[in-house]
Amino acid sequence: MKKIKIAITGIGNCASSLIQGIEYYKNDKMREPIGLMHRELGGYRPGDIEVVAAFDIDARKVGKDVSEAIFAPPNCTTVFCPEIPAMGVKVKMGKLLDGVSGHMKNYDEKYTFVPAKEPDSTKEEIVEELKSSGAEMLLNYLPVGSEKAVRFYAECALEAGIGFINNMPVFIASNEAWAKRFEEKKLPIIGDDIKAQLGATITHRILADLFEKRGVKLDRTYQLNTGGNTDFLNMLNQDRLASKRESKTEAVQSVLSQKLEEENIHIGPSDYVPWQKDNKVCFLRMEGKLFGDVPMNLELRLSVEDSPNSAGVVIDAIRCCKLALDRGIGGVLYSPASYFMKHPAIQYPDGEAYSRTEEFIAGSRER
């Protein structure tokens, strides 16, 4: 089976976990494939994925082989596969734009970024790198709130003639105008905002759906999250959070037959705790009424390593994007997006999203 050649923008914790996972599962005949939703997907295994191009703006990553850059500060995720062979792919200077929040300059560099001395790459340079590397798709791992930067890289993917996987909440795949552009070029796109393998949002959705199915009236709910990685530090800037809150809130509201009033639902990042590093802790509360209008409430605490949690889903999104390329399918991959993403173009209930994705993989559903 031939390789799936990917390019990545943003060599942070999420990219680190993904690349570690590709190496970790290469020899899956030697171990149980724990943590994979699909050991094999459409004939492709995790080890068939190959990073051929990478972009970042941090001085500690730009110019290094990807195998080194994924362990450079401020990355702080769990190292579960420390031996990554040199890839022969150096991290190229990307385009800054609004990729870094101004308030992060006030923190010690071990928690935030160190600006690279190289000038930003131009669109032409990035498009040329994508073409010459042979990349088939571009994965976006930029920080929350990077509206201009994400659109810039989506443009680069279009010009380079490759697929696009948008793992963060700037709305590209779920935006009708952007979706049309990818469809016109017959390029697949999956987005927006990756849904963790077993994280706060998917757990909240399942419980909200359980309330509905068991006849429990949900009156109000909150989801509060804390973490210590650069993502949480970035999100201290409330001005960058509008799309993130919308993405997470819509993911839960979409499973309810009647949406909660705005004052009765609060979902979003809450605080930055440096010593938590890449550990994310979710505090979830749901209040409702049972038979006879008798009140009840549920409280849950979920602790996960944030970046491996996302990589477990992205590794399937990559392979679904590759299947679309193999089949000549362009535009939004509605079924995989509904299962893998918080803010897809079409929200399906989780059971239906799962079934539709399995049908897409099997080839009985186009997208």
Side-chain angles (χ1 to χ4, degrees), residues 246-304:
E246 180 181 342
S247 176
K248 289 175 72 68
T249 302
E250 174 60 26
V252 176
Q253 290 274 41
S254 67
V255 302
L256 302 175
S257 57
Q258 184 174 348
K259 291 187 176 183
L260 295 172
E261 295 294 327
E262 191 175 330
E263 64 266 25
N264 291 326
I265 182 168
H266 178 85
I267 299 177
S270 306
D271 214 344
Y272 169 65
V273 183
W275 57 261
Q276 279 187 229
K277 296 185 177 180
D278 197 41
N279 177 241
K280 176 180 177 179
V281 178
C282 163
F283 300 93
L284 182 65
R285 182 176 175 88
M286 304 173 75
E287 299 180 4
K289 292 186 178 69
L290 298 163
F291 188 76
D293 277 350
V294 177
M296 59 77 65
N297 69 75
L298 176 153
E299 291 200 0
L300 177 147
R301 179 185 185 276
L302 173 67
S303 174
V304 293

Short mmCIF file of all heavy atoms in Angstrom, two decimals, residues 246-304:
data_model
loop_
_atom_site.label_atom_id
_atom_site.label_comp_id
_atom_site.label_asym_id
_atom_site.label_seq_id
_atom_site.Cartn_x
_atom_site.Cartn_y
_atom_site.Cartn_z
N GLU A 246 -18.63 28.84 20.25
CA GLU A 246 -19.72 28.49 19.34
C GLU A 246 -19.62 27.03 18.92
O GLU A 246 -20.62 26.30 18.89
CB GLU A 246 -19.68 29.39 18.10
CG GLU A 246 -20.79 29.08 17.10
CD GLU A 246 -20.72 29.95 15.86
OE1 GLU A 246 -20.06 31.01 15.89
OE2 GLU A 246 -21.35 29.56 14.84
N SER A 247 -18.42 26.59 18.62
CA SER A 247 -18.20 25.21 18.17
C SER A 247 -18.59 24.21 19.25
O SER A 247 -19.34 23.25 19.00
CB SER A 247 -16.74 25.03 17.77
OG SER A 247 -16.47 23.70 17.41
N LYS A 248 -18.10 24.41 20.46
CA LYS A 248 -18.35 23.47 21.55
C LYS A 248 -19.82 23.50 21.98
O LYS A 248 -20.42 22.47 22.28
CB LYS A 248 -17.44 23.78 22.74
CG LYS A 248 -15.97 23.43 22.50
CD LYS A 248 -15.08 23.86 23.65
CE LYS A 248 -15.26 23.01 24.89
NZ LYS A 248 -14.79 21.62 24.73
N THR A 249 -20.40 24.70 22.02
CA THR A 249 -21.79 24.83 22.45
C THR A 249 -22.74 24.21 21.43
O THR A 249 -23.66 23.47 21.79
CB THR A 249 -22.15 26.31 22.68
OG1 THR A 249 -21.26 26.87 23.65
CG2 THR A 249 -23.58 26.46 23.17
N GLU A 250 -22.51 24.49 20.16
CA GLU A 250 -23.36 23.93 19.10
C GLU A 250 -23.29 22.41 19.08
O GLU A 250 -24.29 21.73 18.80
CB GLU A 250 -22.95 24.51 17.75
CG GLU A 250 -23.66 23.91 16.55
CD GLU A 250 -25.17 24.08 16.59
OE1 GLU A 250 -25.67 25.04 17.23
OE2 GLU A 250 -25.86 23.24 15.98
N ALA A 251 -22.12 21.86 19.38
CA ALA A 251 -21.97 20.40 19.39
C ALA A 251 -22.91 19.76 20.40
O ALA A 251 -23.45 18.67 20.16
CB ALA A 251 -20.53 20.03 19.71
N VAL A 252 -23.13 20.41 21.53
CA VAL A 252 -24.04 19.88 22.56
C VAL A 252 -25.49 20.23 22.24
O VAL A 252 -26.39 19.39 22.31
CB VAL A 252 -23.64 20.40 23.96
CG1 VAL A 252 -24.66 19.93 25.02
CG2 VAL A 252 -22.25 19.92 24.32
N GLN A 253 -25.74 21.48 21.87
CA GLN A 253 -27.11 21.92 21.57
C GLN A 253 -27.72 21.10 20.44
O GLN A 253 -28.94 20.85 20.42
CB GLN A 253 -27.10 23.40 21.16
CG GLN A 253 -26.80 24.39 22.27
CD GLN A 253 -28.03 24.80 23.07
OE1 GLN A 253 -28.88 23.95 23.37
NE2 GLN A 253 -28.11 26.07 23.42
N SER A 254 -26.90 20.65 19.51
CA SER A 254 -27.42 19.97 18.32
C SER A 254 -28.08 18.63 18.62
O SER A 254 -28.84 18.11 17.80
CB SER A 254 -26.31 19.78 17.29
OG SER A 254 -25.34 18.87 17.75
N VAL A 255 -27.78 18.03 19.77
CA VAL A 255 -28.39 16.74 20.11
C VAL A 255 -29.67 16.92 20.91
O VAL A 255 -30.35 15.93 21.23
CB VAL A 255 -27.41 15.81 20.86
CG1 VAL A 255 -26.16 15.57 20.03
CG2 VAL A 255 -27.05 16.37 22.23
N LEU A 256 -30.03 18.15 21.27
CA LEU A 256 -31.24 18.41 22.05
C LEU A 256 -32.40 18.72 21.11
O LEU A 256 -32.25 19.46 20.13
CB LEU A 256 -31.02 19.59 23.00
CG LEU A 256 -29.88 19.46 24.02
CD1 LEU A 256 -29.71 20.75 24.79
CD2 LEU A 256 -30.14 18.30 24.97
N SER A 257 -33.59 18.19 21.42
CA SER A 257 -34.76 18.47 20.59
C SER A 257 -35.18 19.92 20.73
O SER A 257 -35.73 20.51 19.80
CB SER A 257 -35.91 17.54 20.98
OG SER A 257 -36.23 17.68 22.35
N GLN A 258 -34.92 20.49 21.89
CA GLN A 258 -35.20 21.91 22.12
C GLN A 258 -33.96 22.54 22.73
O GLN A 258 -33.54 22.17 23.82
CB GLN A 258 -36.40 22.10 23.05
CG GLN A 258 -36.80 23.55 23.25
CD GLN A 258 -38.08 23.69 24.05
OE1 GLN A 258 -38.80 22.72 24.27
NE2 GLN A 258 -38.37 24.90 24.50
N LYS A 259 -33.36 23.50 22.03
CA LYS A 259 -32.12 24.11 22.51
C LYS A 259 -32.35 24.87 23.81
O LYS A 259 -33.40 25.47 24.02
CB LYS A 259 -31.54 25.05 21.44
CG LYS A 259 -31.00 24.33 20.22
CD LYS A 259 -30.28 25.29 19.28
CE LYS A 259 -29.68 24.52 18.11
NZ LYS A 259 -28.91 25.41 17.21
N LEU A 260 -31.33 24.84 24.66
CA LEU A 260 -31.38 25.59 25.91
C LEU A 260 -31.21 27.08 25.64
O LEU A 260 -30.53 27.48 24.69
CB LEU A 260 -30.28 25.12 26.86
CG LEU A 260 -30.38 23.68 27.37
CD1 LEU A 260 -29.11 23.32 28.14
CD2 LEU A 260 -31.61 23.48 28.24
N GLU A 261 -31.83 27.89 26.48
CA GLU A 261 -31.61 29.33 26.39
C GLU A 261 -30.15 29.63 26.71
O GLU A 261 -29.50 28.88 27.46
CB GLU A 261 -32.51 30.07 27.37
CG GLU A 261 -34.01 29.96 27.08
CD GLU A 261 -34.39 30.66 25.78
OE1 GLU A 261 -33.75 31.69 25.45
OE2 GLU A 261 -35.30 30.17 25.10
N GLU A 262 -29.64 30.70 26.15
CA GLU A 262 -28.23 31.03 26.29
C GLU A 262 -27.77 31.10 27.74
O GLU A 262 -26.66 30.66 28.08
CB GLU A 262 -27.95 32.38 25.60
CG GLU A 262 -26.48 32.70 25.45
CD GLU A 262 -26.24 33.96 24.65
OE1 GLU A 262 -27.07 34.28 23.77
OE2 GLU A 262 -25.22 34.63 24.90
N GLU A 263 -28.65 31.62 28.63
CA GLU A 263 -28.24 31.77 30.03
C GLU A 263 -28.19 30.44 30.77
O GLU A 263 -27.67 30.35 31.89
CB GLU A 263 -29.18 32.73 30.77
CG GLU A 263 -30.61 32.28 30.88
CD GLU A 263 -31.50 32.82 29.76
OE1 GLU A 263 -30.96 33.13 28.68
OE2 GLU A 263 -32.73 32.92 29.98
N ASN A 264 -28.71 29.37 30.14
CA ASN A 264 -28.75 28.06 30.81
C ASN A 264 -27.70 27.08 30.31
O ASN A 264 -27.71 25.91 30.72
CB ASN A 264 -30.15 27.45 30.64
CG ASN A 264 -31.20 28.19 31.41
OD1 ASN A 264 -30.93 28.71 32.50
ND2 ASN A 264 -32.41 28.27 30.87
N ILE A 265 -26.82 27.54 29.45
CA ILE A 265 -25.75 26.66 28.98
C ILE A 265 -24.45 27.46 28.89
O ILE A 265 -24.41 28.54 28.32
CB ILE A 265 -26.11 26.02 27.61
CG1 ILE A 265 -25.01 25.06 27.16
CG2 ILE A 265 -26.43 27.07 26.56
CD1 ILE A 265 -25.41 24.17 25.98
N HIS A 266 -23.41 26.92 29.51
CA HIS A 266 -22.09 27.57 29.44
C HIS A 266 -21.06 26.48 29.16
O HIS A 266 -20.87 25.55 29.94
CB HIS A 266 -21.74 28.27 30.76
CG HIS A 266 -20.37 28.90 30.73
ND1 HIS A 266 -20.14 30.16 30.22
CD2 HIS A 266 -19.16 28.42 31.11
CE1 HIS A 266 -18.85 30.44 30.30
NE2 HIS A 266 -18.23 29.40 30.84
N ILE A 267 -20.41 26.60 28.01
CA ILE A 267 -19.40 25.62 27.61
C ILE A 267 -18.19 26.36 27.09
O ILE A 267 -18.30 27.23 26.23
CB ILE A 267 -19.94 24.68 26.52
CG1 ILE A 267 -21.16 23.91 27.03
CG2 ILE A 267 -18.86 23.71 26.06
CD1 ILE A 267 -21.80 23.01 26.00
N GLY A 268 -17.03 26.01 27.60
CA GLY A 268 -15.84 26.65 27.06
C GLY A 268 -14.64 26.53 27.96
O GLY A 268 -14.75 26.14 29.12
N PRO A 269 -13.47 26.88 27.42
CA PRO A 269 -12.24 26.90 28.22
C PRO A 269 -12.42 27.85 29.40
O PRO A 269 -13.08 28.88 29.27
CB PRO A 269 -11.19 27.41 27.24
CG PRO A 269 -11.79 27.20 25.90
CD PRO A 269 -13.26 27.34 26.06
N SER A 270 -11.85 27.50 30.52
CA SER A 270 -12.10 28.29 31.72
C SER A 270 -10.84 28.90 32.33
O SER A 270 -10.86 30.04 32.74
CB SER A 270 -12.81 27.42 32.76
OG SER A 270 -13.97 26.86 32.20
N ASP A 271 -9.76 28.13 32.39
CA ASP A 271 -8.57 28.71 33.01
C ASP A 271 -7.32 27.93 32.62
O ASP A 271 -7.39 26.77 32.20
CB ASP A 271 -8.69 28.76 34.53
CG ASP A 271 -7.99 29.98 35.12
OD1 ASP A 271 -7.16 30.60 34.41
OD2 ASP A 271 -8.27 30.32 36.28
N TYR A 272 -6.20 28.63 32.78
CA TYR A 272 -4.88 28.09 32.46
C TYR A 272 -4.15 27.78 33.76
O TYR A 272 -3.98 28.65 34.61
CB TYR A 272 -4.12 29.13 31.64
CG TYR A 272 -2.65 28.85 31.44
CD1 TYR A 272 -2.22 27.76 30.71
CD2 TYR A 272 -1.68 29.71 31.98
CE1 TYR A 272 -0.88 27.51 30.51
CE2 TYR A 272 -0.33 29.46 31.78
CZ TYR A 272 0.07 28.37 31.05
OH TYR A 272 1.41 28.13 30.86
N VAL A 273 -3.75 26.52 33.93
CA VAL A 273 -3.04 26.08 35.12
C VAL A 273 -1.72 25.47 34.65
O VAL A 273 -1.69 24.32 34.21
CB VAL A 273 -3.87 25.03 35.91
CG1 VAL A 273 -3.13 24.64 37.20
CG2 VAL A 273 -5.26 25.56 36.22
N PRO A 274 -0.61 26.24 34.70
CA PRO A 274 0.64 25.79 34.06
C PRO A 274 1.09 24.38 34.43
O PRO A 274 1.54 23.63 33.57
CB PRO A 274 1.66 26.85 34.53
CG PRO A 274 0.84 28.07 34.78
CD PRO A 274 -0.47 27.56 35.32
N TRP A 275 0.95 24.01 35.73
CA TRP A 275 1.48 22.70 36.12
C TRP A 275 0.66 21.53 35.58
O TRP A 275 1.12 20.39 35.59
CB TRP A 275 1.62 22.58 37.64
CG TRP A 275 0.37 22.81 38.44
CD1 TRP A 275 0.00 23.94 39.09
CD2 TRP A 275 -0.66 21.84 38.72
NE1 TRP A 275 -1.20 23.77 39.73
CE2 TRP A 275 -1.63 22.49 39.53
CE3 TRP A 275 -0.87 20.51 38.36
CZ2 TRP A 275 -2.78 21.85 39.99
CZ3 TRP A 275 -2.02 19.87 38.81
CH2 TRP A 275 -2.96 20.54 39.62
N GLN A 276 -0.53 21.79 35.03
CA GLN A 276 -1.29 20.70 34.41
C GLN A 276 -0.66 20.26 33.09
O GLN A 276 -0.94 19.16 32.61
CB GLN A 276 -2.74 21.14 34.14
CG GLN A 276 -3.63 21.06 35.33
CD GLN A 276 -5.09 21.35 34.99
OE1 GLN A 276 -5.74 22.15 35.65
NE2 GLN A 276 -5.60 20.69 33.97
N LYS A 277 0.15 21.14 32.48
CA LYS A 277 0.76 20.85 31.18
C LYS A 277 -0.31 20.41 30.19
O LYS A 277 -1.31 21.09 30.00
CB LYS A 277 1.91 19.86 31.33
CG LYS A 277 3.05 20.42 32.17
CD LYS A 277 4.24 19.48 32.21
CE LYS A 277 5.38 20.13 33.01
NZ LYS A 277 6.56 19.23 33.08
N ASP A 278 -0.13 19.26 29.53
CA ASP A 278 -1.09 18.87 28.48
C ASP A 278 -2.28 18.11 29.05
O ASP A 278 -3.13 17.63 28.30
CB ASP A 278 -0.38 18.02 27.42
CG ASP A 278 -1.17 17.94 26.12
OD1 ASP A 278 -1.74 18.96 25.70
OD2 ASP A 278 -1.21 16.84 25.53
N ASN A 279 -2.36 18.01 30.36
CA ASN A 279 -3.52 17.37 30.99
C ASN A 279 -4.69 18.34 30.99
O ASN A 279 -4.57 19.48 31.41
CB ASN A 279 -3.19 16.94 32.42
CG ASN A 279 -4.39 16.34 33.14
OD1 ASN A 279 -4.83 16.86 34.14
ND2 ASN A 279 -4.91 15.26 32.61
N LYS A 280 -5.82 17.88 30.49
CA LYS A 280 -7.04 18.69 30.48
C LYS A 280 -8.03 18.09 31.46
O LYS A 280 -8.29 16.88 31.43
CB LYS A 280 -7.64 18.70 29.08
CG LYS A 280 -8.97 19.43 28.96
CD LYS A 280 -9.46 19.38 27.51
CE LYS A 280 -10.81 20.02 27.34
NZ LYS A 280 -11.25 19.98 25.93
N VAL A 281 -8.58 18.93 32.32
CA VAL A 281 -9.58 18.48 33.29
C VAL A 281 -10.90 19.17 32.97
O VAL A 281 -10.96 20.40 32.87
CB VAL A 281 -9.14 18.77 34.73
CG1 VAL A 281 -10.23 18.34 35.70
CG2 VAL A 281 -7.84 18.05 35.05
N CYS A 282 -11.94 18.38 32.81
CA CYS A 282 -13.27 18.89 32.51
C CYS A 282 -14.17 18.69 33.73
O CYS A 282 -14.20 17.61 34.33
CB CYS A 282 -13.86 18.14 31.32
SG CYS A 282 -15.65 18.30 31.14
N PHE A 283 -14.87 19.75 34.10
CA PHE A 283 -15.89 19.69 35.16
C PHE A 283 -17.24 19.91 34.49
O PHE A 283 -17.50 20.96 33.91
CB PHE A 283 -15.64 20.76 36.22
CG PHE A 283 -14.30 20.63 36.89
CD1 PHE A 283 -13.20 21.34 36.42
CD2 PHE A 283 -14.12 19.79 37.98
CE1 PHE A 283 -11.96 21.22 37.01
CE2 PHE A 283 -12.88 19.66 38.58
CZ PHE A 283 -11.80 20.38 38.11
N LEU A 284 -18.08 18.90 34.57
CA LEU A 284 -19.36 18.91 33.86
C LEU A 284 -20.51 18.81 34.86
O LEU A 284 -20.47 17.99 35.78
CB LEU A 284 -19.39 17.72 32.91
CG LEU A 284 -20.60 17.51 32.01
CD1 LEU A 284 -20.71 18.65 31.01
CD2 LEU A 284 -20.46 16.19 31.26
N ARG A 285 -21.50 19.69 34.71
CA ARG A 285 -22.70 19.61 35.55
C ARG A 285 -23.93 19.71 34.65
O ARG A 285 -23.99 20.54 33.73
CB ARG A 285 -22.73 20.73 36.59
CG ARG A 285 -23.96 20.65 37.52
CD ARG A 285 -23.93 21.72 38.61
NE ARG A 285 -25.16 21.70 39.40
CZ ARG A 285 -25.38 20.96 40.48
NH1 ARG A 285 -24.41 20.14 40.91
NH2 ARG A 285 -26.52 21.02 41.13
N MET A 286 -24.91 18.85 34.93
CA MET A 286 -26.18 18.86 34.21
C MET A 286 -27.30 18.79 35.23
O MET A 286 -27.30 17.92 36.11
CB MET A 286 -26.24 17.68 33.24
CG MET A 286 -25.09 17.64 32.25
SD MET A 286 -25.04 16.16 31.21
CE MET A 286 -26.37 16.51 30.07
N GLU A 287 -28.24 19.71 35.13
CA GLU A 287 -29.39 19.75 36.03
C GLU A 287 -30.67 19.52 35.23
O GLU A 287 -30.83 20.10 34.14
CB GLU A 287 -29.47 21.10 36.74
CG GLU A 287 -28.26 21.41 37.61
CD GLU A 287 -28.37 22.76 38.30
OE1 GLU A 287 -29.43 23.42 38.16
OE2 GLU A 287 -27.41 23.16 38.97
N GLY A 288 -31.57 18.68 35.76
CA GLY A 288 -32.79 18.40 35.03
C GLY A 288 -33.89 17.92 35.93
O GLY A 288 -33.80 17.96 37.17
N LYS A 289 -34.98 17.43 35.29
CA LYS A 289 -36.15 16.94 36.04
C LYS A 289 -36.53 15.56 35.53
O LYS A 289 -36.62 15.32 34.31
CB LYS A 289 -37.31 17.91 35.91
CG LYS A 289 -37.10 19.24 36.60
CD LYS A 289 -38.34 20.10 36.56
CE LYS A 289 -38.13 21.41 37.30
NZ LYS A 289 -37.20 22.28 36.59
N LEU A 290 -36.79 14.66 36.49
CA LEU A 290 -37.20 13.30 36.22
C LEU A 290 -38.73 13.20 36.26
O LEU A 290 -39.44 14.20 36.28
CB LEU A 290 -36.58 12.35 37.24
CG LEU A 290 -35.05 12.26 37.28
CD1 LEU A 290 -34.60 11.62 38.59
CD2 LEU A 290 -34.56 11.44 36.10
N PHE A 291 -39.20 11.99 36.31
CA PHE A 291 -40.64 11.69 36.44
C PHE A 291 -41.26 12.49 37.58
O PHE A 291 -40.71 12.58 38.67
CB PHE A 291 -40.78 10.19 36.70
CG PHE A 291 -42.17 9.65 36.68
CD1 PHE A 291 -42.83 9.45 35.48
CD2 PHE A 291 -42.82 9.33 37.86
CE1 PHE A 291 -44.12 8.93 35.45
CE2 PHE A 291 -44.10 8.81 37.85
CZ PHE A 291 -44.76 8.62 36.65
N GLY A 292 -42.41 13.13 37.30
CA GLY A 292 -43.08 13.93 38.32
C GLY A 292 -42.43 15.27 38.56
O GLY A 292 -42.66 15.89 39.60
N ASP A 293 -41.60 15.72 37.64
CA ASP A 293 -40.86 16.99 37.79
C ASP A 293 -39.92 16.97 38.99
O ASP A 293 -39.58 18.03 39.55
CB ASP A 293 -41.82 18.19 37.92
CG ASP A 293 -42.31 18.68 36.57
OD1 ASP A 293 -41.77 18.21 35.56
OD2 ASP A 293 -43.22 19.52 36.53
N VAL A 294 -39.50 15.77 39.39
CA VAL A 294 -38.57 15.66 40.51
C VAL A 294 -37.17 16.03 40.03
O VAL A 294 -36.69 15.47 39.04
CB VAL A 294 -38.58 14.22 41.09
CG1 VAL A 294 -37.55 14.09 42.21
CG2 VAL A 294 -39.97 13.87 41.60
N PRO A 295 -36.47 16.97 40.71
CA PRO A 295 -35.16 17.44 40.23
C PRO A 295 -34.05 16.42 40.42
O PRO A 295 -34.11 15.58 41.33
CB PRO A 295 -34.91 18.70 41.06
CG PRO A 295 -35.70 18.51 42.29
CD PRO A 295 -36.93 17.72 41.89
N MET A 296 -33.07 16.50 39.56
CA MET A 296 -31.86 15.69 39.67
C MET A 296 -30.69 16.50 39.14
O MET A 296 -30.87 17.52 38.47
CB MET A 296 -31.99 14.38 38.87
CG MET A 296 -32.25 14.53 37.36
SD MET A 296 -30.82 14.97 36.31
CE MET A 296 -29.82 13.51 36.52
N ASN A 297 -29.48 16.06 39.46
CA ASN A 297 -28.31 16.68 38.85
C ASN A 297 -27.20 15.66 38.73
O ASN A 297 -27.16 14.67 39.47
CB ASN A 297 -27.85 17.93 39.61
CG ASN A 297 -27.26 17.62 40.97
OD1 ASN A 297 -26.13 17.14 41.08
ND2 ASN A 297 -28.02 17.89 42.03
N LEU A 298 -26.33 15.89 37.77
CA LEU A 298 -25.20 15.00 37.51
C LEU A 298 -23.94 15.84 37.48
O LEU A 298 -23.91 16.91 36.85
CB LEU A 298 -25.41 14.30 36.17
CG LEU A 298 -24.31 13.38 35.61
CD1 LEU A 298 -24.94 12.33 34.70
CD2 LEU A 298 -23.25 14.15 34.81
N GLU A 299 -22.89 15.37 38.17
CA GLU A 299 -21.59 16.04 38.11
C GLU A 299 -20.54 15.02 37.72
O GLU A 299 -20.53 13.89 38.22
CB GLU A 299 -21.24 16.69 39.44
CG GLU A 299 -22.13 17.88 39.76
CD GLU A 299 -21.53 18.81 40.81
OE1 GLU A 299 -20.41 18.52 41.29
OE2 GLU A 299 -22.17 19.83 41.13
N LEU A 300 -19.65 15.42 36.83
CA LEU A 300 -18.64 14.52 36.30
C LEU A 300 -17.32 15.26 36.20
O LEU A 300 -17.28 16.44 35.83
CB LEU A 300 -19.09 14.01 34.93
CG LEU A 300 -18.16 13.11 34.13
CD1 LEU A 300 -18.99 12.12 33.30
CD2 LEU A 300 -17.26 13.90 33.18
N ARG A 301 -16.25 14.57 36.53
CA ARG A 301 -14.90 15.11 36.35
C ARG A 301 -14.15 14.18 35.41
O ARG A 301 -14.05 12.97 35.68
CB ARG A 301 -14.15 15.21 37.68
CG ARG A 301 -12.72 15.75 37.57
CD ARG A 301 -12.01 15.70 38.92
NE ARG A 301 -10.69 16.30 38.87
CZ ARG A 301 -9.58 15.68 38.48
NH1 ARG A 301 -9.65 14.41 38.08
NH2 ARG A 301 -8.41 16.30 38.49
N LEU A 302 -13.65 14.72 34.32
CA LEU A 302 -12.93 13.93 33.32
C LEU A 302 -11.52 14.48 33.18
O LEU A 302 -11.33 15.68 32.98
CB LEU A 302 -13.65 14.01 31.97
CG LEU A 302 -12.96 13.38 30.76
CD1 LEU A 302 -12.89 11.86 30.92
CD2 LEU A 302 -13.70 13.75 29.48
N SER A 303 -10.53 13.62 33.29
CA SER A 303 -9.13 14.03 33.16
C SER A 303 -8.50 13.24 32.01
O SER A 303 -8.51 12.00 32.01
CB SER A 303 -8.36 13.76 34.45
OG SER A 303 -6.98 14.03 34.29
N VAL A 304 -7.98 13.97 31.00
CA VAL A 304 -7.37 13.32 29.84
C VAL A 304 -6.11 14.07 29.42
O VAL A 304 -5.97 15.26 29.69
CB VAL A 304 -8.34 13.28 28.63
CG1 VAL A 304 -9.52 12.38 28.91
CG2 VAL A 304 -8.80 14.68 28.24
#
